[in-house]
Amino acid sequence: MDNNKSLFLKHGTSLRFPLMAAKNTLTEYESRRLENIRRNEEIVAALMLRSKASELSASLKRSISKKFKYSKPPSPVVIRRSLRTRGLPPSHSDSTVNVGETFIGESSTSSGRPLFDVIMSASALRGVDGNESDSNLTGTHKFDPMSSMTLKPENVARVLPNRIFSVQFLPSAYRTVVTVGDKSGKIGFWDLDFVDGDGEREGNGIYVFAPHSAPVSGISVHPSSMTKIFTCSYDGLLQKLDVDKETFSVIYSSEDPIFSICQRSCDNSLYIGELGVLKIWDERAGKASNEWSLHGYRINTIDFNPENLNIMATSSRDGTACIWDLRSMNKVQPKVLGVVNHKRAVNSAYFSPNGSYLATTSFDDRIGILNLSDLTDISIINHNNQTGRWLSSFRAIWGWDDSFLFLGNMGKSVDIISTKDKTIMPLESPEMTSIPCRFAAHRHRTGTLAAATAGGKVFLFTNC
C-alpha cells in the first residue's frame, strides 16, 4: 500500500496509467479516427472565430451609417448605343461620343409633313421680337381652370413608348406643338394643328427621334427662337436639333449624368445641372465659361425669374431649393440669397409668371410657396408626392399667372392649388386614364396644359 500511495502522488492521478496503456493498444484505424476528430475540432473553432469577426464588422458598419442622414445616390445606368442607332457605319471603330458628332437616330413620323415645315410655319407667324401675346391672356386673373379647362378625346395620344421624363411646348401663339422625352432616350414632337390643304387632319402629327441612350432629363426651347431646341440626358450628352436636317448633334459631353438644362432669353448660354455642379455652356464659344458647386447632390431643376433674369433657382436631391444672383456669384464660394429646406429630395423649384413667388415640390409630401418679397414668408401645403419607382416624380408648375399651381395625383386627375386660399381642387376627366406626372403650360394660350404619363401618353387640356 505504501508503494502504491507513493506512486499515485508521483504521477498526480490514478487514471493516467489506464489511458497510457490504452493508447499503446490502439489500432491504426482508431488512431486515424482520433486524429481526424482533433483536426475537425480545430476547423470548427477557426470558423466560429471568423463568424464572430464578420458580425463585429457588420455591426460597426451599421453604427457608422446611422450617423449620416443622406447617402449618395447611385449613378444612373448608362446604356450603350449601337452604331446603327447612332447613325454610324459598321466600320466605325471609335466607341466614344465626340462633340460635334451627328445622330440621325431612329426617326419616324405619322404625318406626311416634315418637322421642319411644322416648326418654321410656327416661327413665321411669330412677332419680330418673339413676345407675341394671346388675347386670352388679357385679364387672366379672372380665369377659372376648374370651369374653363376640358380634355377632349382627340387631344389624347401616345407620343412615346416609355415613361416620359420631360415635356415642353414650342413657344408659338399660333400653333400647338408639344415635345416630350422618355426613359429610353427618345424625343417626340406632337403637332396638334396638322392639317392638309383641304383643312383635314393628316396622320396624327407625331414625330419621333432617338438621339439618346438613357432617360431624357431635360428639353429646352429658346424663348425667342424655336429653331434652338436642346436636349440633355443621363447619358451625359447635351444635343441640339438641326430642324432643317432633322438630326441631333452633340455640343457637349460630360462624364457625369446631366439632370437639367435651362436657357435665358437674354443670352445664348445653356445652364447645365449635373451632380451638384452647375455649368454655363457658351454655345458660340463652344465651351463652358463658368461652373459652380451649388449642391451636395444632383440638381433636378434650374429656373430663372421672368422679371429679373439674373435671379436663378435650383432644386436638388440634397433637400434644398436655393435662390442665387448671377451678378454676385463667386467662383470659389457662391453666396446664396435664400434657401427652402425640405426633409427629403426637392423635385422642382419654379418661379411664378409674375416673378413674385417660388414653388417647390418635395418627396416629403409638401409643396412650398415662398414669397420673394419676404424670404421668411413661406406657405406649406401637404400633398401626396409618393409616386414610387415606376412613375416620374411630381413637379408642381405654374399656370398663366400667380393664382394657380398644377400637379398630378395618384387618383388619375390634375390637382389645382389655389395660392390665395391654399386649397387643392382635383380637375377630373373620363378621358384621363393614367396618372399624370409631368406638366407644361402653353405660355401663349391660357388653359392649354399638357400632362404626360409613365406610359408615354400626353393629355392636352384646352380652354373650352
Side-chain angles (χ1 to χ4, degrees), residues 88-396:
L88 299 175
S91 59
H92 195 279
S93 59
D94 185 9
S95 60
T96 61
V97 178
N98 301 315
V99 174
E101 184 174 355
T102 300
F103 288 168
I104 300 175
E106 299 174 352
S107 61
S108 62
T109 176
S110 299
S111 173
R113 190 175 189 183
L115 178 63
F116 171 77
D117 292 345
V118 173
I119 295 179
M120 294 309 295
S121 63
S123 301
L125 294 171
R126 308 174 78 243
V128 176
D129 59 355
N131 294 321
E132 74 279 17
S133 60
D134 185 358
S135 59
N136 291 331
L137 293 176
T138 304
T140 53
H141 62 282
K142 299 179 181 179
F143 174 72
D144 182 10
M146 289 297 298
S147 60
S148 302
M149 294 175 60
T150 183
L151 178 60
K152 299 178 181 179
E154 61 268 24
N155 290 338
V156 178
R158 189 179 187 188
V159 181
L160 293 175
N162 296 297
R163 170 158 55 117
I164 293 178
F165 277 60
S166 308
V167 55
Q168 289 288 344
F169 279 102
L170 295 189
S172 171
Y174 304 99
R175 198 175 191 94
T176 303
V177 181
V178 184
T179 174
V180 292
D182 74 355
K183 182 179 179 180
S184 65
K186 288 183 171 62
I187 303 290
F189 292 85
W190 183 20
D191 176 22
L192 283 92
D193 298 321
F194 56 96
V195 292
D196 57 18
D198 298 328
E200 299 292 334
R201 287 196 172 189
E202 46 178 334
N204 58 13
I206 295 177
Y207 307 79
V208 179
F209 302 87
H212 293 284
S213 60
V216 179
S217 52
I219 299 174
S220 182
V221 184
H222 196 278
S224 300
S225 177
M226 276 182 286
T227 59
K228 292 184 178 181
I229 302 175
F230 300 89
T231 64
C232 67
S233 169
Y234 288 2
D235 60 12
L237 300 181
L238 176 64
Q239 301 204 47
K240 180 180 179 180
L241 171 63
D242 187 324
V243 177
D244 188 9
K245 299 179 181 179
E246 296 190 4
T247 59
F248 285 81
S249 298
V250 179
I251 63 172
Y252 169 75
S253 177
S254 173
E255 295 181 356
D256 297 320
I258 301 177
F259 297 101
S260 54
I261 55 172
C262 193
Q263 298 179 79
R264 296 192 299 171
S265 59
C266 61
D267 59 33
N268 292 302
S269 297
L270 284 162
Y271 294 77
I272 305 170
E274 299 182 5
L275 289 172
V277 177
L278 177 78
K279 296 180 180 180
I280 301 181
W281 178 262
D282 190 329
E283 183 188 358
R284 293 179 178 177
K287 63 179 181 179
S289 58
N290 282 300
E291 67 175 73
W292 301 284
S293 180
L294 303 183
H295 290 276
Y297 298 103
R298 72 185 202 184
I299 299 176
N300 289 323
T301 61
I302 306 167
D303 194 31
F304 294 97
N305 192 311
E307 296 299 316
N308 186 350
L309 295 175
N310 292 308
I311 303 301
M312 177 182 67
T314 56
S315 66
S316 172
R317 192 183 171 182
D318 64 6
T320 64
C322 299
I323 304 174
W324 316 86
D325 189 340
L326 293 178
R327 296 166 296 186
S328 59
M329 293 284 280
N330 188 315
K331 188 172 184 179
V332 178
Q333 188 65 39
K335 184 179 179 180
V336 63
L337 296 181
V339 179
V340 178
N341 291 292
H342 284 271
K343 296 180 180 179
R344 295 187 64 185
V346 182
N347 303 326
S348 63
Y350 296 124
F351 288 107
S352 63
N354 295 333
S356 302
Y357 300 95
L358 180 74
T360 62
T361 309
S362 172
F363 268 127
D364 65 1
D365 291 338
R366 294 181 179 183
I367 307 295
I369 302 177
L370 177 66
N371 187 345
L372 297 179
S373 61
D374 181 5
L375 296 182
T376 62
D377 180 12
I378 182 170
S379 302
I380 298 297
I381 300 172
N382 294 323
H383 186 273
N384 179 16
N385 297 328
Q386 303 305 310
T387 54
R389 62 179 297 183
W390 305 114
L391 302 177
S392 297
S393 58
F394 290 155
R395 293 180 177 181

Side-chain angles (χ1 to χ4, degrees), residues 28-39:
E28 182 181 357
Y29 169 78
E30 291 174 334
S31 299
R32 287 203 307 266
R33 179 174 175 274
L34 291 175
E35 182 64 22
N36 290 337
I37 292 174
R38 182 190 62 77
R39 185 169 60 252

